[in-house]
Amino acid sequence: MTGNEALSADLYQLTMLQGYHQQRMDDIAVFELFVRKLPACRGFLVAAGLEQAVDYLQNLRFTPVDLDWLSGTGFFKAEFLQRLRRFRFTGDVHAMPEGTVFFPDEPILRVTAPMPEAQFVESRLINIVHFQTLIASKAARSVLTAPGKTLVEFGFRRAHGGEAGLFAARAAYLVGFSGTATLGAGRRFGIPIFGTMAHSFVQAHRSESEAFEHFARANPDNTVLLIDTYDTEGGAQKAVELASRLKSLNIPIKGVRLDSGDLAGHAHKVRRILDAGGLTDTTIFASGNIDEYTLARLQAADAPIDGYGIGTRLDTSEDAPYLDCAYKLQEYAGIPRRKRSEGKATWPGVKQVYRRFDADGLLAGDTITLAEIPCAGRPLLKEVMRSGARVEPLPSLVQIREYAKDQLSRLPAGLRTLSDAAAYPVQVAAELRALTERMDKETLPR
């Protein structure tokens, strides 16, 4: 969330800062945030969360209440806590624009700042960027699987906390969802809001027909009826009967929702009932544990469903609940740094990513190189903060959405599949490999 979040950090961030302070290690450090590998069956990821990351950095400060609490922990010296009163982020940030398609080992965000500042922000930056990137990357698969369908983010109630629910709605809308059911996300981010009714509304009435009529009269401009509380096809027939009674009141039945059972089978039957009753403009909306794999099956069955509510499996990224995301030191005091840990080694130095396209404008390959050595292609990391302030206003969510749409349209067919995605070519430039080899020949630190 925006505002002060100084304690949205791990303890070791501050214990390290106390060490840096004691040794006066304030030289410039460069950290890069990246994902080590793709989850199974994924061909690409989509960067998201930059706006909230920048808000965090701009508002970062320790309040007197924060410092009083830290003092009470017994971990920190009074002199160090006094210094934290003046702590601000004064560094630079380069990042891939939100909505950018990216791949493993490519830095999506780079922080250049005095070591204490660059180190301290690690946990919260990962927390923000990781989650929205995770959800945007999964939501994009539904957008590609069901083009032209109304897709509504439905998962707030089962998201892992309130902030996660809001950020999930933003990430899904960013990559092409039509809107969200969450009011808070609509207010905060300007995302279109959608809603129908619950089974409890139907059960609270003496009859299904009465429930439908009461709802229609209360919501004449948004009459979407949940018809499967008792019998799906029977509910559809009651919707047809109600429509004739509401005609004189000029209240149309905008849509009906299916939430259980064989969605494709019910949709075909309900469509016939609605059409026979003259409700050819009434849409069919479906929900109930839907994800991109469900969408693919329904598309294959030619189900006459106009839109989908996609909730739990999206907001929890059920099939891939995390990304192997890291924020690592790449340079300190002008000297490249490299982590050599088994299975977690990093490419050293300050880097840039260049992207090439084929004759049709589709992604053809990326190159990771040292930032000072450009190569063929389009550079992906852009300057977004300088000396602790935004270089220019970030794009609006609507602008990000258009950019993400363009990015997804450039994916080759092999990356769009829901399984056995093709490997996208990401090269490591010769200069970067040479730097790594030179560093590996040096004596290891003692």
Side-chain angles (χ1 to χ4, degrees):
M1 311 293 275
T2 55
N4 176 56
E5 302 174 78
L7 298 187
S8 295
D10 292 308
L11 172 62
Y12 83 162
Q13 309 295 354
L14 281 181
T15 56
M16 287 188 287
L17 260 62
Q18 188 160 241
Y20 293 143
H21 169 65
Q22 186 168 313
Q23 299 300 321
R24 290 180 167 78
M25 294 179 64
D26 293 324
D27 287 324
I28 297 298
V30 179
F31 282 78
E32 292 176 347
L33 193 157
F34 58 95
V35 176
R36 290 191 179 99
K37 60 184 179 181
L38 292 171
C41 302
R42 302 292 176 91
F44 65 93
L45 298 171
V46 180
L50 179 60
E51 180 179 323
Q52 285 68 44
V54 169
D55 285 344
Y56 160 69
L57 294 172
Q58 284 197 307
N59 289 285
L60 179 58
R61 65 203 64 217
F62 289 87
T63 67
V65 174
D66 294 336
L67 295 172
D68 286 346
W69 183 84
L70 288 172
S71 178
T73 66
F75 285 108
F76 306 107
K77 299 175 182 179
E79 179 192 6
F80 173 64
L81 293 176
Q82 189 65 28
R83 184 169 179 174
L84 290 184
R85 294 181 184 277
R86 303 185 300 276
F87 188 90
R88 300 288 188 274
F89 180 78
T90 64
D92 304 336
V93 175
H94 291 73
M96 291 186 186
E98 290 194 81
T100 301
V101 167
F102 73 97
F103 303 92
D105 288 330
E106 298 181 343
I108 59 174
L109 183 144
R110 181 207 307 153
V111 171
T112 305
M115 173 59 92
E117 299 174 22
Q119 181 79 74
F120 178 75
V121 299
E122 171 186 9
S123 298
R124 183 55 171 157
L125 285 182
I126 293 177
N127 175 261
I128 293 170
V129 174
H130 167 269
F131 181 72
Q132 289 204 50
T133 295
L134 177 74
I135 302 305
S137 301
K138 183 169 178 63
R141 289 156 61 84
S142 289
V143 172
L144 291 171
T145 301
K149 300 293 184 180
T150 297
L151 303 179
V152 181
E153 183 276 318
F154 248 41
F156 183 85
R157 64 187 62 191
R158 291 193 181 129
H160 296 167
E163 181 184 76
L166 296 180
F167 282 178
R170 181 183 185 276
Y173 185 67
L174 183 156
V175 294
F177 267 50
S178 306
T180 180
T182 305
L183 293 172
R187 178 183 180 184
R188 180 172 173 184
F189 302 120
I191 301 172
I193 53 175
F194 292 76
T196 61
M197 63 195 303
H199 291 109
S200 55
F201 187 87
V202 176
Q203 292 173 281
H205 286 78
R206 290 174 297 179
S207 70
E208 193 171 38
S209 294
E210 181 184 68
F212 289 172
E213 184 161 354
H214 285 180
F215 188 83
R217 288 176 178 273
N219 301 276
D221 298 320
N222 186 38
T223 300
V224 181
L225 306 174
L226 180 60
I227 62 173
D228 70 337
T229 304
Y230 305 118
D231 175 82
T232 303
E233 286 71 40
Q237 188 58 53
K238 291 183 178 70
V240 169
E241 294 165 1
L242 174 63
S244 63
R245 298 199 300 274
L246 295 177
K247 206 166 191 179
S248 62
L249 300 175
N250 199 29
I251 300 176
I253 295 181
K254 184 177 177 181
V256 298
R257 176 160 73 100
L258 314 177
D259 189 55
S260 60
D262 175 3
L263 293 176
H266 285 309
H268 281 291
K269 294 174 184 176
V270 167
R271 184 74 270 163
R272 288 195 291 271
I273 291 170
L274 296 177
D275 289 349
L279 302 187
T280 55
D281 293 331
T282 298
T283 62
I284 297 176
F285 188 83
S287 56
N289 290 323
I290 292 173
D291 60 12
E292 64 267 39
Y293 300 104
T294 313
L295 290 178
R297 292 193 292 271
L298 291 170
Q299 292 285 91
D302 199 25
I305 298 173
D306 303 287
Y308 297 91
I310 303 178
T312 301
R313 293 181 178 177
L314 172 63
D315 285 42
T316 63
S317 190
E318 179 262 348
D319 63 323
Y322 74 96
L323 301 173
D324 189 0
C325 189
Y327 177 88
K328 297 302 178 185
L329 178 67
Q330 310 294 24
E331 183 179 281
Y332 178 59
I335 301 172
R337 309 288 167 151
R338 168 166 155 81
K339 180 178 176 179
R340 295 182 173 95
S341 303
E342 184 179 349
K344 293 185 177 181
T346 59
W347 296 104
V350 183
K351 294 180 285 299
Q352 176 61 278
V353 182
Y354 287 85
R355 176 158 295 164
R356 302 179 305 281
F357 301 87
D358 66 16
D360 296 320
L362 301 180
L363 276 64
D366 292 357
T367 301
I368 305 172
T369 186
L370 294 168
E372 72 270 18
I373 304 177
C375 66
R378 180 185 302 171
L380 299 185
L381 290 163
K382 311 292 185 183
E383 185 182 32
V384 295
M385 294 186 75
R386 186 187 307 142
S387 301
R390 299 182 193 217
V391 174
E392 59 185 17
L394 292 174
S396 68
L397 190 54
V398 171
Q399 291 171 321
I400 296 170
R401 181 178 163 87
E402 286 302 310
Y403 172 74
K405 180 180 179 180
D406 178 73
Q407 286 280 295
L408 295 177
S409 74
R410 296 180 182 276
L411 286 170
L415 298 180
R416 295 166 173 260
T417 180
L418 298 182
S419 61
D420 301 322
Y424 180 76
V426 177
Q427 301 175 341
V428 177
E431 294 84 359
L432 180 52
R433 289 187 180 277
L435 172 63
T436 305
E437 291 172 6
R438 289 197 303 273
M439 293 182 68
D440 285 352
K441 289 177 182 177
E442 297 173 357
T443 303
L444 292 176
R446 299 297 180 187

